[in-house]
Structures are given as structure tokens and as C-alpha cells.
Amino acid sequence: MKGVLRFVLSWGLSVLLTPYVHRAFDQLATRAPKGSFLEDVLLELSDRYSAMLIQSFGETAGELVLGSK
């Protein structure tokens, strides 16, 4: 049962928070100098890694709330 709850918590946080994290990285990238390394990194984080970051956060929160397996 804990595994199901952990999955639901991770999935729910991913669905709810990913758009906000994606938007935050996009806004930071627009403030960075055009063509800079920083802009490229922020856009990459926005495009590819925002969902992964939130999923990792959800898994960590699940471990903290529900305990280890």
C-alpha cells in the first residue's frame, strides 16, 4: 500500500508542479544574456529536466512522509 501511495504522491506533485518549474526556468532564461551559456543551460533545464526534478522531489517527499520501503 505504501508503494501505491508513494507513486500517487510522486505523480501528483509532478503533474501539479512541472508547469510552474518549466515557466520559472523560461522566465530566468529570458533574463539571461542572449546567446549565453547561462541562457542555454536554463532552456535545457526548462525543456528536459523540469519534469525529472519534480519527480525526484516527489519521490523524496514520498520517502519522508511514508518512510522507506
mmCIF file with all atom_site columns, all heavy atoms in Angstrom, residues 26-40 42:
data_model
loop_
_atom_site.group_PDB
_atom_site.id
_atom_site.type_symbol
_atom_site.label_atom_id
_atom_site.label_alt_id
_atom_site.label_comp_id
_atom_site.label_asym_id
_atom_site.label_entity_id
_atom_site.label_seq_id
_atom_site.pdbx_PDB_ins_code
_atom_site.Cartn_x
_atom_site.Cartn_y
_atom_site.Cartn_z
_atom_site.occupancy
_atom_site.B_iso_or_equiv
_atom_site.pdbx_formal_charge
_atom_site.auth_seq_id
_atom_site.auth_comp_id
_atom_site.auth_asym_id
_atom_site.auth_atom_id
_atom_site.pdbx_PDB_model_num
ATOM 1   N N   . ASP A 1 26 ? 11.953 29.193 -17.886 1.00 0.00 ? 26 ASP A N   1
ATOM 2   C CA  . ASP A 1 26 ? 11.786 30.011 -19.090 1.00 0.00 ? 26 ASP A CA  1
ATOM 3   C C   . ASP A 1 26 ? 11.952 31.494 -18.782 1.00 0.00 ? 26 ASP A C   1
ATOM 4   O O   . ASP A 1 26 ? 12.591 32.230 -19.540 1.00 0.00 ? 26 ASP A O   1
ATOM 5   C CB  . ASP A 1 26 ? 10.414 29.773 -19.718 1.00 0.00 ? 26 ASP A CB  1
ATOM 6   C CG  . ASP A 1 26 ? 10.357 28.516 -20.555 1.00 0.00 ? 26 ASP A CG  1
ATOM 7   O OD1 . ASP A 1 26 ? 11.426 27.978 -20.900 1.00 0.00 ? 26 ASP A OD1 1
ATOM 8   O OD2 . ASP A 1 26 ? 9.231  28.070 -20.858 1.00 0.00 ? 26 ASP A OD2 1
ATOM 9   N N   . GLN A 1 27 ? 11.374 31.949 -17.684 1.00 0.00 ? 27 GLN A N   1
ATOM 10  C CA  . GLN A 1 27 ? 11.485 33.361 -17.318 1.00 0.00 ? 27 GLN A CA  1
ATOM 11  C C   . GLN A 1 27 ? 12.934 33.728 -16.986 1.00 0.00 ? 27 GLN A C   1
ATOM 12  O O   . GLN A 1 27 ? 13.406 34.806 -17.368 1.00 0.00 ? 27 GLN A O   1
ATOM 13  C CB  . GLN A 1 27 ? 10.579 33.683 -16.133 1.00 0.00 ? 27 GLN A CB  1
ATOM 14  C CG  . GLN A 1 27 ? 9.110  33.707 -16.499 1.00 0.00 ? 27 GLN A CG  1
ATOM 15  C CD  . GLN A 1 27 ? 8.212  33.933 -15.296 1.00 0.00 ? 27 GLN A CD  1
ATOM 16  O OE1 . GLN A 1 27 ? 8.682  33.944 -14.155 1.00 0.00 ? 27 GLN A OE1 1
ATOM 17  N NE2 . GLN A 1 27 ? 6.928  34.112 -15.542 1.00 0.00 ? 27 GLN A NE2 1
ATOM 18  N N   . LEU A 1 28 ? 13.619 32.850 -16.294 1.00 0.00 ? 28 LEU A N   1
ATOM 19  C CA  . LEU A 1 28 ? 15.034 33.111 -15.997 1.00 0.00 ? 28 LEU A CA  1
ATOM 20  C C   . LEU A 1 28 ? 15.863 33.151 -17.281 1.00 0.00 ? 28 LEU A C   1
ATOM 21  O O   . LEU A 1 28 ? 16.769 33.970 -17.414 1.00 0.00 ? 28 LEU A O   1
ATOM 22  C CB  . LEU A 1 28 ? 15.582 32.057 -15.041 1.00 0.00 ? 28 LEU A CB  1
ATOM 23  C CG  . LEU A 1 28 ? 15.098 32.138 -13.596 1.00 0.00 ? 28 LEU A CG  1
ATOM 24  C CD1 . LEU A 1 28 ? 15.576 30.914 -12.823 1.00 0.00 ? 28 LEU A CD1 1
ATOM 25  C CD2 . LEU A 1 28 ? 15.582 33.413 -12.948 1.00 0.00 ? 28 LEU A CD2 1
ATOM 26  N N   . ALA A 1 29 ? 15.538 32.282 -18.220 1.00 0.00 ? 29 ALA A N   1
ATOM 27  C CA  . ALA A 1 29 ? 16.277 32.252 -19.482 1.00 0.00 ? 29 ALA A CA  1
ATOM 28  C C   . ALA A 1 29 ? 16.058 33.536 -20.284 1.00 0.00 ? 29 ALA A C   1
ATOM 29  O O   . ALA A 1 29 ? 16.977 34.001 -20.961 1.00 0.00 ? 29 ALA A O   1
ATOM 30  C CB  . ALA A 1 29 ? 15.865 31.033 -20.306 1.00 0.00 ? 29 ALA A CB  1
ATOM 31  N N   . THR A 1 30 ? 14.870 34.126 -20.206 1.00 0.00 ? 30 THR A N   1
ATOM 32  C CA  . THR A 1 30 ? 14.630 35.373 -20.941 1.00 0.00 ? 30 THR A CA  1
ATOM 33  C C   . THR A 1 30 ? 15.411 36.533 -20.337 1.00 0.00 ? 30 THR A C   1
ATOM 34  O O   . THR A 1 30 ? 15.705 37.500 -21.032 1.00 0.00 ? 30 THR A O   1
ATOM 35  C CB  . THR A 1 30 ? 13.128 35.738 -20.962 1.00 0.00 ? 30 THR A CB  1
ATOM 36  O OG1 . THR A 1 30 ? 12.647 35.884 -19.633 1.00 0.00 ? 30 THR A OG1 1
ATOM 37  C CG2 . THR A 1 30 ? 12.322 34.690 -21.693 1.00 0.00 ? 30 THR A CG2 1
ATOM 38  N N   . ARG A 1 31 ? 15.746 36.440 -19.058 1.00 0.00 ? 31 ARG A N   1
ATOM 39  C CA  . ARG A 1 31 ? 16.526 37.491 -18.402 1.00 0.00 ? 31 ARG A CA  1
ATOM 40  C C   . ARG A 1 31 ? 18.029 37.331 -18.611 1.00 0.00 ? 31 ARG A C   1
ATOM 41  O O   . ARG A 1 31 ? 18.786 38.276 -18.406 1.00 0.00 ? 31 ARG A O   1
ATOM 42  C CB  . ARG A 1 31 ? 16.227 37.504 -16.905 1.00 0.00 ? 31 ARG A CB  1
ATOM 43  C CG  . ARG A 1 31 ? 14.808 37.920 -16.609 1.00 0.00 ? 31 ARG A CG  1
ATOM 44  C CD  . ARG A 1 31 ? 14.548 37.928 -15.141 1.00 0.00 ? 31 ARG A CD  1
ATOM 45  N NE  . ARG A 1 31 ? 13.149 38.243 -14.892 1.00 0.00 ? 31 ARG A NE  1
ATOM 46  C CZ  . ARG A 1 31 ? 12.529 37.998 -13.777 1.00 0.00 ? 31 ARG A CZ  1
ATOM 47  N NH1 . ARG A 1 31 ? 13.172 37.424 -12.781 1.00 0.00 ? 31 ARG A NH1 1
ATOM 48  N NH2 . ARG A 1 31 ? 11.259 38.304 -13.643 1.00 0.00 ? 31 ARG A NH2 1
ATOM 49  N N   . ALA A 1 32 ? 18.453 36.146 -18.997 1.00 0.00 ? 32 ALA A N   1
ATOM 50  C CA  . ALA A 1 32 ? 19.879 35.898 -19.226 1.00 0.00 ? 32 ALA A CA  1
ATOM 51  C C   . ALA A 1 32 ? 20.298 36.565 -20.543 1.00 0.00 ? 32 ALA A C   1
ATOM 52  O O   . ALA A 1 32 ? 19.470 36.773 -21.430 1.00 0.00 ? 32 ALA A O   1
ATOM 53  C CB  . ALA A 1 32 ? 20.140 34.398 -19.296 1.00 0.00 ? 32 ALA A CB  1
ATOM 54  N N   . PRO A 1 33 ? 21.570 36.898 -20.671 1.00 0.00 ? 33 PRO A N   1
ATOM 55  C CA  . PRO A 1 33 ? 22.056 37.485 -21.929 1.00 0.00 ? 33 PRO A CA  1
ATOM 56  C C   . PRO A 1 33 ? 21.813 36.537 -23.110 1.00 0.00 ? 33 PRO A C   1
ATOM 57  O O   . PRO A 1 33 ? 22.016 35.331 -22.998 1.00 0.00 ? 33 PRO A O   1
ATOM 58  C CB  . PRO A 1 33 ? 23.556 37.661 -21.690 1.00 0.00 ? 33 PRO A CB  1
ATOM 59  C CG  . PRO A 1 33 ? 23.715 37.660 -20.208 1.00 0.00 ? 33 PRO A CG  1
ATOM 60  C CD  . PRO A 1 33 ? 22.621 36.812 -19.664 1.00 0.00 ? 33 PRO A CD  1
ATOM 61  N N   . LYS A 1 34 ? 21.346 37.092 -24.212 1.00 0.00 ? 34 LYS A N   1
ATOM 62  C CA  . LYS A 1 34 ? 21.039 36.286 -25.398 1.00 0.00 ? 34 LYS A CA  1
ATOM 63  C C   . LYS A 1 34 ? 22.291 35.587 -25.917 1.00 0.00 ? 34 LYS A C   1
ATOM 64  O O   . LYS A 1 34 ? 23.354 36.193 -26.024 1.00 0.00 ? 34 LYS A O   1
ATOM 65  C CB  . LYS A 1 34 ? 20.455 37.165 -26.512 1.00 0.00 ? 34 LYS A CB  1
ATOM 66  C CG  . LYS A 1 34 ? 19.120 37.758 -26.162 1.00 0.00 ? 34 LYS A CG  1
ATOM 67  C CD  . LYS A 1 34 ? 18.078 36.679 -26.078 1.00 0.00 ? 34 LYS A CD  1
ATOM 68  C CE  . LYS A 1 34 ? 16.730 37.315 -25.728 1.00 0.00 ? 34 LYS A CE  1
ATOM 69  N NZ  . LYS A 1 34 ? 15.785 36.359 -25.251 1.00 0.00 ? 34 LYS A NZ  1
ATOM 70  N N   . GLY A 1 35 ? 22.144 34.306 -26.225 1.00 0.00 ? 35 GLY A N   1
ATOM 71  C CA  . GLY A 1 35 ? 23.250 33.531 -26.764 1.00 0.00 ? 35 GLY A CA  1
ATOM 72  C C   . GLY A 1 35 ? 24.279 33.091 -25.743 1.00 0.00 ? 35 GLY A C   1
ATOM 73  O O   . GLY A 1 35 ? 25.295 32.512 -26.102 1.00 0.00 ? 35 GLY A O   1
ATOM 74  N N   . SER A 1 36 ? 24.017 33.320 -24.467 1.00 0.00 ? 36 SER A N   1
ATOM 75  C CA  . SER A 1 36 ? 24.989 32.963 -23.437 1.00 0.00 ? 36 SER A CA  1
ATOM 76  C C   . SER A 1 36 ? 24.846 31.508 -23.015 1.00 0.00 ? 36 SER A C   1
ATOM 77  O O   . SER A 1 36 ? 23.831 30.858 -23.263 1.00 0.00 ? 36 SER A O   1
ATOM 78  C CB  . SER A 1 36 ? 24.826 33.871 -22.215 1.00 0.00 ? 36 SER A CB  1
ATOM 79  O OG  . SER A 1 36 ? 23.609 33.591 -21.557 1.00 0.00 ? 36 SER A OG  1
ATOM 80  N N   . PHE A 1 37 ? 25.862 31.032 -22.351 1.00 0.00 ? 37 PHE A N   1
ATOM 81  C CA  . PHE A 1 37 ? 25.838 29.675 -21.812 1.00 0.00 ? 37 PHE A CA  1
ATOM 82  C C   . PHE A 1 37 ? 24.732 29.535 -20.776 1.00 0.00 ? 37 PHE A C   1
ATOM 83  O O   . PHE A 1 37 ? 24.043 28.516 -20.724 1.00 0.00 ? 37 PHE A O   1
ATOM 84  C CB  . PHE A 1 37 ? 27.207 29.337 -21.207 1.00 0.00 ? 37 PHE A CB  1
ATOM 85  C CG  . PHE A 1 37 ? 27.252 27.986 -20.552 1.00 0.00 ? 37 PHE A CG  1
ATOM 86  C CD1 . PHE A 1 37 ? 27.270 26.835 -21.327 1.00 0.00 ? 37 PHE A CD1 1
ATOM 87  C CD2 . PHE A 1 37 ? 27.271 27.857 -19.172 1.00 0.00 ? 37 PHE A CD2 1
ATOM 88  C CE1 . PHE A 1 37 ? 27.300 25.584 -20.737 1.00 0.00 ? 37 PHE A CE1 1
ATOM 89  C CE2 . PHE A 1 37 ? 27.305 26.615 -18.573 1.00 0.00 ? 37 PHE A CE2 1
ATOM 90  C CZ  . PHE A 1 37 ? 27.327 25.468 -19.360 1.00 0.00 ? 37 PHE A CZ  1
ATOM 91  N N   . LEU A 1 38 ? 24.541 30.564 -19.958 1.00 0.00 ? 38 LEU A N   1
ATOM 92  C CA  . LEU A 1 38 ? 23.508 30.542 -18.928 1.00 0.00 ? 38 LEU A CA  1
ATOM 93  C C   . LEU A 1 38 ? 22.121 30.394 -19.546 1.00 0.00 ? 38 LEU A C   1
ATOM 94  O O   . LEU A 1 38 ? 21.304 29.616 -19.069 1.00 0.00 ? 38 LEU A O   1
ATOM 95  C CB  . LEU A 1 38 ? 23.573 31.809 -18.072 1.00 0.00 ? 38 LEU A CB  1
ATOM 96  C CG  . LEU A 1 38 ? 22.536 31.943 -16.965 1.00 0.00 ? 38 LEU A CG  1
ATOM 97  C CD1 . LEU A 1 38 ? 22.671 30.799 -15.962 1.00 0.00 ? 38 LEU A CD1 1
ATOM 98  C CD2 . LEU A 1 38 ? 22.680 33.285 -16.274 1.00 0.00 ? 38 LEU A CD2 1
ATOM 99  N N   . GLU A 1 39 ? 21.864 31.119 -20.622 1.00 0.00 ? 39 GLU A N   1
ATOM 100 C CA  . GLU A 1 39 ? 20.571 31.001 -21.296 1.00 0.00 ? 39 GLU A CA  1
ATOM 101 C C   . GLU A 1 39 ? 20.360 29.578 -21.804 1.00 0.00 ? 39 GLU A C   1
ATOM 102 O O   . GLU A 1 39 ? 19.288 28.993 -21.641 1.00 0.00 ? 39 GLU A O   1
ATOM 103 C CB  . GLU A 1 39 ? 20.484 31.988 -22.450 1.00 0.00 ? 39 GLU A CB  1
ATOM 104 C CG  . GLU A 1 39 ? 19.147 31.909 -23.182 1.00 0.00 ? 39 GLU A CG  1
ATOM 105 C CD  . GLU A 1 39 ? 19.115 32.736 -24.438 1.00 0.00 ? 39 GLU A CD  1
ATOM 106 O OE1 . GLU A 1 39 ? 20.182 32.904 -25.081 1.00 0.00 ? 39 GLU A OE1 1
ATOM 107 O OE2 . GLU A 1 39 ? 18.029 33.208 -24.781 1.00 0.00 ? 39 GLU A OE2 1
ATOM 108 N N   . ASP A 1 40 ? 21.398 28.995 -22.400 1.00 0.00 ? 40 ASP A N   1
ATOM 109 C CA  . ASP A 1 40 ? 21.304 27.621 -22.909 1.00 0.00 ? 40 ASP A CA  1
ATOM 110 C C   . ASP A 1 40 ? 21.022 26.624 -21.795 1.00 0.00 ? 40 ASP A C   1
ATOM 111 O O   . ASP A 1 40 ? 20.207 25.717 -21.946 1.00 0.00 ? 40 ASP A O   1
ATOM 112 C CB  . ASP A 1 40 ? 22.591 27.228 -23.641 1.00 0.00 ? 40 ASP A CB  1
ATOM 113 C CG  . ASP A 1 40 ? 22.777 27.984 -24.943 1.00 0.00 ? 40 ASP A CG  1
ATOM 114 O OD1 . ASP A 1 40 ? 21.785 28.525 -25.467 1.00 0.00 ? 40 ASP A OD1 1
ATOM 115 O OD2 . ASP A 1 40 ? 23.926 28.038 -25.421 1.00 0.00 ? 40 ASP A OD2 1
ATOM 116 N N   . LEU A 1 42 ? 19.602 27.208 -18.843 1.00 0.00 ? 42 LEU A N   1
ATOM 117 C CA  . LEU A 1 42 ? 18.248 27.397 -18.313 1.00 0.00 ? 42 LEU A CA  1
ATOM 118 C C   . LEU A 1 42 ? 17.185 26.864 -19.267 1.00 0.00 ? 42 LEU A C   1
ATOM 119 O O   . LEU A 1 42 ? 16.195 26.258 -18.824 1.00 0.00 ? 42 LEU A O   1
ATOM 120 C CB  . LEU A 1 42 ? 18.001 28.881 -18.009 1.00 0.00 ? 42 LEU A CB  1
ATOM 121 C CG  . LEU A 1 42 ? 18.794 29.433 -16.837 1.00 0.00 ? 42 LEU A CG  1
ATOM 122 C CD1 . LEU A 1 42 ? 18.682 30.947 -16.785 1.00 0.00 ? 42 LEU A CD1 1
ATOM 123 C CD2 . LEU A 1 42 ? 18.342 28.814 -15.536 1.00 0.00 ? 42 LEU A CD2 1
#
